[in-house]
């Protein structure tokens, strides 16, 4: 069956250094960062024999990266050997990407000045329209759909950068209803660095492509590009991890770990996580050590003495523990404590209710507060608008924090009695 094939990506942020990269890996920063991801992207486009490469904004991190990015993009286009490269501007590169496009043959920008523009790409399926809208400046408070795109006349792929379903945003806010009203075979979005797997892997793909590589430990999991395939039966997207560096966050239950074995256990867990991130050449793991243990003080002390940021070689990867948080608590006699008519008793009773699936009002209130904080753009600097922070599990979080408070309360009580 005839098929159109595109490789789509967003938020390369060429020129941005990788945050929290260990000193021992600094000499590999270009290979492991956005420039290395660009090389992998171009290689994948050639291997998949795509009809075009599509970039949904924030290709460049800022104006200061012009000369370094110029050489990288020029080299990438040369290696594409005739495969069209189409892009739109995002909030980070609204000024610099148009300048680069003027100077580099083969880099085509759509939607310049915040006006919808399109280009027809010839494929085995026939002509496919690639429609795009780009940021006219670093901030934009109006919706891209305020001046709607032209009606479609055939297969269409849309490129857009901005805030989906966010109110009062300075990053080109638009809604899911806008995307449905102005239909496309796929809406490929940039800006939020967490990929929208569920939104993109359904019959009407419309979601964030995510960053091409993890730019900091707050962007865990496999990152990369999306292979877009269109035929007479529909449009399908497949995620292709290619980020040279990957990050992971794990929680380790300490209940059966001896303090003297902690170093080896954490190393083993980090390597297990790294094995699942096949495309990465370096993997940083953020570890939370939690749970109950009779030797809780020894475990916390052992964890405090483990130096982080020291990579070791595991198969074909450099693996390191980026951060280690130890919050081990002593075994608590919750049933006995819950019978007390005291603050400790009330906290113990709450923990038992949380474990039993009760205390629903408290859990719902915590869930609502987490959601409100995560969506409140006023609580984060403007340059963090691109991050989508995962919500913690309210029941697990409440129990963990209640245990810590209760442990400290009992330790204080014991100190006073002694």
């Amino acid at each position: 069956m005839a098929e159109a094939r595109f490789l789509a990506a967003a938020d390369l942020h060429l020129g941005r250094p990788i945050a929290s990269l260990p000193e021992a890996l600094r000499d590999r920063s270009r290979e492991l960062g956005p420039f290395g991801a660009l090389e992998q992207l171009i290689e994948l486009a050639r291997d998949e024999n795509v009809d075009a490469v599509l970039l949904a904004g924030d290709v460049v991190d800022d104006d200061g990266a012009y000369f370094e990015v110029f050489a990288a993009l020029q080299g990438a286009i040369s290696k594409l050997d005739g495969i069209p490269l189409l892009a739109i501007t995002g909030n980070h590169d609204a000024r610099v990407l148009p300048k680069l496009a003027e100077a580099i043959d083969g880099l085509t920008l759509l939607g310049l000045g915040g006006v919808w523009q399109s280009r027809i790409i010839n494929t085995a399926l026939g002509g496919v329209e690639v429609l795009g809208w780009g940021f006219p400046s670093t901030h934009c408070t109006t919706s891209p759909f305020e001046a709607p795109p032209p009606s479609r006349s055939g297969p269409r792929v849309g490129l857009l950068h901005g805030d989906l379903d966010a109110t009062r945003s300075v990053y080109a806010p638009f809604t899911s209803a806008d995307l449905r009203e102005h239909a496309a075979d796929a809406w490929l979005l940039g800006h939020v660095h967490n990929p929208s797997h569920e939104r993109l892997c359904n019959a009407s793909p419309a979601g964030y492509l995510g960053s091409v590589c993890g730019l900091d430990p707050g962007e865990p999991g496999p990152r990369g590009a999306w292979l877009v395939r269109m035929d007479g039966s529909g449009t399908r997207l497949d995620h292709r991890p290619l980020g040279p560096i990957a990050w992971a966050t794990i929680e380790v239950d300490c209940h059966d770990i001896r303090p003297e074995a902690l170093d080896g256990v954490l190393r083993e867990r980090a390597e297990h996580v790294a094995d699942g991130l096949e495309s990465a050449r370096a993997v940083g793991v953020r570890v939370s050590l939690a749970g109950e243990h009779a030797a809780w003080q020894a475990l916390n002390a052992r964890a405090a003495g483990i130096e982080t940021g020291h990579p070791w070689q595991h198969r074909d990867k450099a693996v390191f523990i980026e951060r280690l948080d130890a919050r081990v608590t002593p075994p608590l006699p919750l049933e006995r404590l819950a019978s007390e008519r005291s603050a400790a008793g009330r906290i113990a009773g709450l923990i038992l209710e949380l474990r039993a699936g009760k205390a629903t009002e408290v859990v719902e209130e915590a869930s609502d507060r987490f959601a409100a904080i995560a969506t409140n753009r006023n609580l984060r600097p403007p340059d963090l608008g691109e991050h989508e922070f995962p919500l913690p599990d309210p029941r697990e979080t409440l129990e963990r924090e209640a245990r810590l408070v209760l442990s400290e309360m009992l330790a204080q009580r014991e100190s006073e009695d002694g």
Side-chain angles (χ1 to χ4, degrees):
M1 182 180 294
E3 186 177 70
R5 299 167 66 86
F6 303 100
L7 189 63
D11 297 282
L12 278 85
H13 287 274
L14 294 171
R16 179 185 293 190
I18 295 293
S20 298
L21 194 65
E23 185 66 35
L25 295 178
R26 294 286 170 83
D27 60 344
R28 298 177 59 190
S29 59
R30 185 178 178 88
E31 169 205 346
L32 296 175
F35 288 109
L38 176 63
E39 293 177 4
Q40 296 299 308
L41 179 73
I42 299 307
E43 184 176 330
L44 180 59
R46 289 169 56 92
D47 290 345
E48 293 289 349
N49 192 29
V50 298
D51 297 300
V53 175
L54 312 178
L55 303 179
D58 282 358
V59 179
V60 188
D61 192 55
D62 58 41
D63 296 2
Y66 178 92
F67 292 104
E68 191 177 18
V69 173
F70 177 92
L73 286 178
Q74 193 171 54
I77 290 169
S78 175
K79 292 177 183 177
L80 282 173
D81 195 25
I83 298 175
L85 176 61
L86 282 66
I88 60 172
T89 55
N91 52 295
H92 275 261
D93 55 12
R95 290 190 297 262
V96 68
L97 195 57
K99 296 176 182 177
L100 287 163
E102 288 180 2
I104 300 175
D105 291 335
L107 173 57
T108 300
L109 291 191
L110 301 176
L112 278 170
V115 177
W116 292 99
Q117 293 176 320
S118 62
R119 178 173 175 178
I120 301 297
I121 301 296
N122 294 320
T123 74
L125 186 64
V128 176
E129 178 193 13
V130 179
L131 173 73
W133 181 97
F135 267 64
S137 59
T138 55
H139 295 105
C140 180
T141 57
T142 58
S143 168
F145 293 96
E146 193 170 89
S151 301
R152 61 183 293 184
S153 58
R156 168 184 280 181
V157 173
L159 297 179
L160 186 56
H161 195 97
D163 253 339
L164 175 63
D165 294 328
T167 57
R168 290 187 288 183
S169 169
V170 296
Y171 300 115
F174 56 94
T175 66
S176 297
D178 291 327
L179 301 182
R180 290 192 295 269
E181 180 181 352
H182 304 282
D185 293 280
W187 276 110
L188 310 177
L189 311 180
H191 185 56
V192 171
H193 290 185
N194 193 37
S196 309
H197 288 279
E198 290 185 7
R199 285 177 174 263
L200 291 172
C201 296
N202 60 33
S204 301
Y208 286 107
L209 301 171
S211 52
V212 177
C213 72
L215 297 167
D216 58 59
E219 298 184 12
R223 301 297 168 120
W226 294 78
L227 182 64
V228 183
R229 296 181 294 167
M230 305 171 64
D231 57 29
S233 64
T235 303
R236 296 176 302 282
L237 274 74
D238 297 312
H239 191 237
R240 299 298 180 88
L242 52 78
I245 190 168
W247 306 93
T249 300
I250 62 172
E251 181 171 303
V252 176
D253 188 334
C254 69
H255 76 278
D256 60 350
I257 301 176
R258 291 177 291 108
E260 62 271 20
L262 181 61
D263 305 58
V265 170
L266 296 184
R267 184 179 179 119
E268 181 183 329
R269 301 289 176 88
E271 290 175 352
H272 177 73
V273 169
D275 287 339
L277 297 165
E278 297 181 2
S279 70
R281 301 169 189 168
V283 177
V285 184
R286 180 170 288 184
V287 181
S288 176
L289 184 65
E292 301 178 3
H293 201 288
W296 63 282
Q297 291 173 314
L299 270 170
N300 285 334
R302 183 81 177 191
I306 295 176
E307 290 190 34
T308 58
H310 292 280
W312 68 89
Q313 195 65 28
H314 173 64
R315 297 177 180 164
D316 61 341
K317 297 174 173 47
V319 182
F320 61 96
I321 294 177
E322 181 267 334
R323 193 171 83 185
L324 173 57
D325 296 322
R327 311 185 80 181
V328 185
T329 57
L332 299 172
L334 295 175
E335 288 78 7
R336 179 178 64 78
L337 288 170
S339 65
E340 292 185 6
R341 303 185 70 176
S342 64
R346 288 194 295 272
I347 295 174
L350 173 61
I351 294 172
L352 290 172
E353 289 184 3
L354 289 167
R355 288 184 174 180
K358 300 177 182 178
T360 53
E361 289 186 10
V362 176
V363 172
E364 288 174 359
E365 182 180 355
S367 181
D368 291 342
R369 292 195 178 192
F370 288 156
I373 292 171
T375 57
N376 191 334
R377 302 285 175 176
N378 296 322
L379 296 180
R380 65 178 80 177
D383 59 346
L384 289 181
E386 63 204 17
H387 287 268
E388 186 175 85
F389 298 96
L391 297 180
D393 181 277
R395 187 174 294 277
E396 291 179 2
T397 303
L398 286 169
E399 181 182 341
R400 182 176 64 249
E401 296 304 317
R403 286 186 55 79
L404 288 169
V405 170
L406 183 56
S407 298
E408 293 174 4
M409 188 177 292
L410 294 178
Q412 183 178 352
R413 180 194 290 183
E414 183 178 341
S415 174
E416 292 173 351
D417 292 344

